[in-house]
Amino acid sequence: MLADRSDPELSQLAEDEVKGLREKRKELEDRLQALLIPKDPDDDKDVFIEIRAGAGGDEAAIFAGDLARMYMRYAESQGMRVEPVSQNESEAGGYKEIVFAVRGGTPYRFFKHESGVHRVQRVPLTEAQGRVHTSTATVAVLPQVEDDFSVEIRPSDLQIDTYKSSGAGGQYVNKTESAIRITHIPTGIIVASQQERSQIQNREKAMQMLRSKIYEGKRREAEEAAGSMRRSQVGTGDRSEKIRTYNYPQDRITDHRINQNFGNLRGVMDGALGHIVDELLKDERMKLLAGEGAAG
């Protein structure tokens, strides 16, 4: 080989060329892998993120608020827009339930692996003895679907109620019954929107969320019937599945689906979620490639 010859300058040129060719090969291999991976048709969709306090009383509600803040800050750091939909605040702080939309860019791609049960281990501010408590919150990420999507919603299947808004909203709160709650009778799905100023706007946003929930249910049924590989990527995303633990005393976040630990917990809770999202997407790509290889 040229790199073995006695001329040092020529040898160095050969080594540099080999290095460049290896880098180019790696780049081409990565691009080829990306082309081989089937694209998730929902990746480009906007999303609704629904967070509910789970076990743990007041501390669970505070944790639900912490998760909402984390997602909102991360979305904004990625140039996405956050739009509030509805919220049920806890007297101790945080939320019993909060729903917001994330729009612009590819929200579903970045948030789809957040569905499931999140667990926090920390000393609550109200804990006089300094004992660590464990609380949970449940996250659901729903891709938004268009009006002309094949989800059929008949007006006769809807029960629509109006009520006065509560929580944030300034001068528009509790003056008129502008908030909307829609019950889809065949499925029992209930959605609400209270953040807009008019009934018409709140009804439109609630209907968007209802379509998303019905779509998500149909998609899950289809995937289960087909034994889809997507269900085994990084956990099922089922609301009953514990996907991540936030351990404050040890400054550690553990994602149980990829069995990885991450530090800088407070930074992550301030919205620095990118490195965890990257690892989840990386794991998704690897498993999709493995599935493609097995299928071939």
Side-chain angles (χ1 to χ4, degrees):
M1 293 178 62
L2 285 173
D4 296 328
R5 295 182 178 178
S6 56
D7 188 330
E9 186 175 347
L10 188 59
S11 178
Q12 185 61 50
L13 285 172
E15 288 179 6
D16 291 344
E17 185 175 356
V18 169
K19 181 181 178 182
L21 289 171
R22 285 174 178 162
E23 291 174 352
K24 184 66 175 178
R25 176 182 174 182
K26 178 66 168 60
E27 178 186 336
L28 292 172
E29 287 176 347
D30 290 344
R31 288 170 60 185
L32 179 60
Q33 281 192 354
L35 291 171
L36 289 172
I37 297 172
K39 188 179 185 302
D40 188 329
D42 291 328
D43 272 357
D44 294 337
K45 286 185 170 66
D46 297 337
V47 297
F48 288 108
I49 298 180
E50 178 184 78
I51 306 172
R52 296 176 182 266
D58 290 343
E59 174 65 10
I62 293 171
F63 180 48
D66 292 341
L67 289 176
R69 178 173 172 269
M70 176 182 75
Y71 291 140
M72 289 177 184
R73 289 199 166 192
Y74 173 67
E76 289 165 354
S77 74
Q78 300 300 306
M80 304 174 194
R81 303 189 314 278
V82 175
E83 298 177 5
V85 175
S86 66
Q87 59 191 43
N88 182 4
E89 295 179 353
S90 167
E91 293 181 2
Y95 302 97
K96 296 177 182 177
E97 178 185 4
I98 180 170
V99 181
F100 54 93
V102 180
R103 306 183 191 278
T106 55
Y108 189 73
R109 176 172 180 262
F110 290 103
F111 284 102
K112 61 184 172 183
H113 297 310
E114 295 302 308
S115 291
V117 176
H118 295 244
R119 182 176 69 171
V120 64
Q121 295 174 321
R122 63 185 175 189
V123 180
L125 294 176
T126 55
E127 170 55 59
Q129 304 298 321
R131 292 173 296 187
V132 173
H133 288 227
T134 299
S135 305
T136 63
T138 303
V139 175
V141 178
L142 308 169
Q144 297 182 30
V145 294
E146 300 302 322
D147 294 356
D148 59 355
F149 191 75
S150 58
V151 172
E152 180 185 2
I153 301 177
R154 294 179 296 184
S156 60
D157 289 337
L158 302 179
Q159 176 184 320
I160 302 176
D161 301 302
T162 60
Y163 62 99
K164 292 181 180 179
S165 300
S166 62
Q171 60 180 317
Y172 299 100
V173 172
N174 293 327
K175 288 195 173 183
T176 61
E177 292 196 349
S178 61
I180 294 288
R181 181 186 298 110
I182 300 177
T183 303
H184 186 245
I185 297 169
T187 61
I189 293 172
I190 299 174
V191 295
S193 177
Q194 65 183 41
Q195 298 299 121
E196 303 298 335
R197 298 180 183 181
S198 73
Q199 274 192 21
I200 294 174
Q201 290 173 315
N202 278 320
R203 177 170 175 152
E204 181 180 346
K205 191 163 281 187
M207 285 298 295
Q208 285 179 340
M209 190 170 181
L210 178 60
R211 283 191 293 271
S212 294
K213 286 202 168 192
I214 294 174
Y215 170 68
E216 178 71 3
K218 288 181 177 291
R219 188 181 67 168
R220 286 179 181 275
E221 288 176 6
E223 288 172 349
E224 287 167 0
S228 172
M229 185 262 156
R230 275 192 82 236
R231 302 288 292 165
S232 62
Q233 288 171 19
V234 282
T236 65
D238 189 273
R239 291 194 184 194
S240 63
E241 181 187 14
K242 181 185 70 178
I243 64 168
R244 192 177 297 148
T245 297
Y246 304 74
N247 188 314
Y248 275 74
Q250 299 180 15
D251 187 32
R252 183 181 70 231
I253 297 174
T254 302
D255 195 290
H256 303 288
R257 299 158 298 177
I258 56 177
N259 197 28
Q260 284 196 39
N261 295 319
F262 304 88
N264 186 29
L265 189 153
R266 295 188 185 280
V268 171
M269 300 308 289
D270 280 336
L273 190 63
H275 59 301
I276 299 179
V277 172
D278 288 344
E279 288 300 320
L280 289 164
L281 291 174
K282 176 181 175 183
D283 192 74
E284 175 186 5
R285 289 193 298 272
M286 289 173 58
K287 289 183 176 175
L288 281 169
L289 279 169
E292 283 291 292

